[in-house]
Amino acid sequence: MKSERSVGIDCLRAISIIWVLLYHFVPLQVFNRGTFGVLLFFIISGYCIAFSVETSQSAWHFFAKRLGRLLPALIVCGFLTTLFKYLAPELVEPGRGLKWIHYAYTLVALPTLNVLQVNYNLPDGAYWSLQIEFQFYVFCFLMMALGLKKRLLALLCAMTVFRTLTTSTDYYTSNDFFPFFISGMSVAALVRGRTKEAIAGIFVAFSVDLYHLTFHVKQPSVPIEMYRSLLLWLGTAAVYLAARYDHVLPRPFRALAFIGVISYPLYLIHQDVGIMILHWAQVGRDSATDWLIRAIILPAFLAGIAWLVYALVERPTIKPLTAFLAGPRAWLRQWQPVKIRPPADDRSDDVARQDFLVR
């Protein structure tokens, strides 16, 4: 039986998170577009979600799988980040302070798209991408709830084109990132043999992105530029190659896949905590030791924390939590003790005595 994980896709996840880590910790010009690592994550997410939708029994089952996948590491990493900020507020960057109530509300606000419209601070600066991810998940959930599961990619394309054409270029929205999800879903369709659907989806994704580039759409999170379009094109090709030919990857690349496995908790814990550690250790930018800490030692230390979160929390809880969210009653029934009745000809004396008295 084929593993649920793709080594090739995990290698791309590893490249994405390493890209982001170097962007935040190594102040070199070559890494100044580290947020492109997040865009590659979005393409990968679109690819994986397409298969998640196909294997989901219902809209709620799909969303329960998303919650079960994201919440365990989010709860723990968000807690650790909040704790570090509470214990050492002097190390927190200006404007990145956090209250415990904000951490608690984050766990509600992200899955519900902040339906209560409450102002709050995210535990970590990197969490902005989770807001985009959950908007994508909620769209998939709603389309599935309406019975439009088989038309999901076409509807996502139509919605993205409509919002793009009806939104001012000076008003940035999450729609600006949806071409990356579309590309990932299109690659999944191509792998599944739905060539026409895949080509149409990739055409829409590339066209919307070129529209953003041509009309200078404002996007402060990841500025619209030619390099971003290049990332979309190359990232789409990379996801296809990783999905199609992961079985022929050399062994060194397979070792890289481990970083991809722990990439989610590593992404959640790295930014604010990492910067706090640099401030605490008073790491500068001048000596070779400073660069060694920034590029190797600190990422390795954070990867160790991420591995612990993965091994102790994420891996053992994803499936049970998903099962509970998908069907609480069925999940609870499996833990109820089973009552075994004795055979009719082997009843206890008490039961026999009660039968005699009834007669």
Side-chain angles (χ1 to χ4, degrees):
M1 182 177 178
K2 187 178 178 180
S3 172
E4 293 180 359
R5 303 197 71 97
S6 164
V7 174
I9 294 298
D10 277 334
C11 285
L12 285 183
R13 288 192 178 102
I15 293 172
S16 298
I17 188 59
I18 292 172
W19 196 341
V20 173
L21 288 170
L22 294 176
Y23 167 65
H24 283 131
F25 301 146
V26 181
L28 289 177
Q29 186 70 17
V30 68
F31 301 128
N32 68 347
R33 291 183 175 86
T35 47
F36 284 7
V38 178
L39 299 183
L40 181 55
F41 270 125
F42 287 161
I43 301 175
I44 296 170
S45 179
Y47 171 80
C48 295
I49 291 305
F51 292 102
S52 180
V53 167
E54 288 186 2
T55 57
S56 297
Q57 302 170 6
S58 65
W60 177 247
H61 183 219
F62 162 78
F63 203 68
K65 288 194 297 184
R66 292 299 87 209
L67 292 176
R69 171 70 180 87
L70 298 184
L71 283 182
L74 179 62
I75 291 171
V76 174
C77 292
F79 174 83
L80 292 176
T81 301
T82 308
L83 180 62
F84 291 155
K85 290 184 176 184
Y86 175 79
L87 295 177
E90 69 280 2
L91 300 177
V92 180
E93 289 189 312
R96 293 300 310 152
L98 187 67
K99 297 179 179 179
W100 284 104
I101 188 65
H102 291 173
Y103 156 68
Y105 184 66
T106 296
L107 305 178
V108 177
L110 288 176
T112 62
L113 306 185
N114 194 14
V115 67
L116 300 178
Q117 295 298 304
V118 174
N119 291 325
Y120 72 105
N121 292 330
L122 291 166
D124 189 281
Y127 286 22
W128 69 270
S129 64
L130 293 181
Q131 296 175 315
I132 308 298
E133 287 274 355
F134 270 109
Q135 290 181 42
F136 174 51
Y137 300 156
V138 169
F139 174 83
C140 295
F141 166 78
L142 292 175
M143 294 303 99
M144 293 177 68
L146 293 174
L148 302 173
K149 175 178 174 178
K150 294 184 178 180
R151 298 288 183 266
L152 183 58
L153 178 55
L155 291 168
L156 182 62
C157 289
M159 185 274 292
T160 302
V161 170
F162 175 79
R163 288 188 62 189
T164 299
L165 297 177
T166 57
T167 303
S168 170
T169 57
D170 294 324
Y171 184 77
Y172 56 90
T173 68
S174 60
N175 185 75
D176 302 337
F177 299 102
F178 273 35
F180 296 87
F181 294 114
I182 293 173
S183 285
M185 295 189 74
S186 299
V187 170
L190 190 61
V191 170
R192 288 296 199 196
R194 301 195 295 269
T195 306
K196 292 182 179 179
E197 181 183 1
I199 293 175
I202 292 174
F203 175 78
V204 169
F206 289 5
S207 297
V208 170
D209 183 72
L210 289 176
Y211 175 92
H212 290 157
L213 184 65
T214 302
F215 292 97
H216 307 289
V217 174
K218 304 295 187 299
Q219 178 45 254
S221 296
V222 186
I224 308 294
E225 57 179 343
M226 190 62 200
Y227 284 112
R228 173 176 148 141
S229 298
L230 186 62
L231 184 279
L232 175 62
W233 306 337
L234 295 179
T236 301
V239 170
Y240 173 76
L241 293 174
R244 180 69 77 179
Y245 301 108
D246 67 332
H247 59 285
V248 298
L249 284 174
R251 189 169 297 277
F253 285 92
R254 293 179 176 270
L256 181 65
F258 170 74
I259 303 299
V261 171
I262 64 170
S263 61
Y264 177 56
L266 181 54
Y267 180 79
L268 293 176
I269 198 68
H270 85 278
Q271 184 174 338
D272 286 8
V273 170
I275 292 173
M276 290 175 66
I277 292 174
L278 291 176
H279 288 168
W280 170 76
Q282 298 181 352
V283 178
R285 304 182 180 185
D286 301 324
S287 68
T289 303
D290 293 335
W291 291 103
L292 178 64
I293 293 174
R294 288 177 174 274
I296 304 296
I297 297 177
L298 178 59
F301 173 74
L302 294 172
I305 296 177
W307 177 80
L308 289 174
V309 173
Y310 169 76
L312 301 179
V313 179
E314 191 177 23
R315 184 171 60 183
T317 60
I318 286 178
K319 289 185 177 180
L321 179 59
T322 298
F324 172 74
L325 293 172
R329 293 182 179 178
W331 185 86
L332 290 173
R333 278 199 298 269
Q334 70 177 338
W335 297 103
Q336 292 178 352
V338 179
K339 296 181 179 179
I340 302 177
R341 294 184 178 181
D345 57 350
D346 188 27
R347 293 178 295 179
S348 66
D349 293 341
D350 290 338
V351 173
R353 187 179 298 107
Q354 291 176 5
D355 286 350
F356 174 80
L357 292 175
V358 170
R359 294 192 188 100

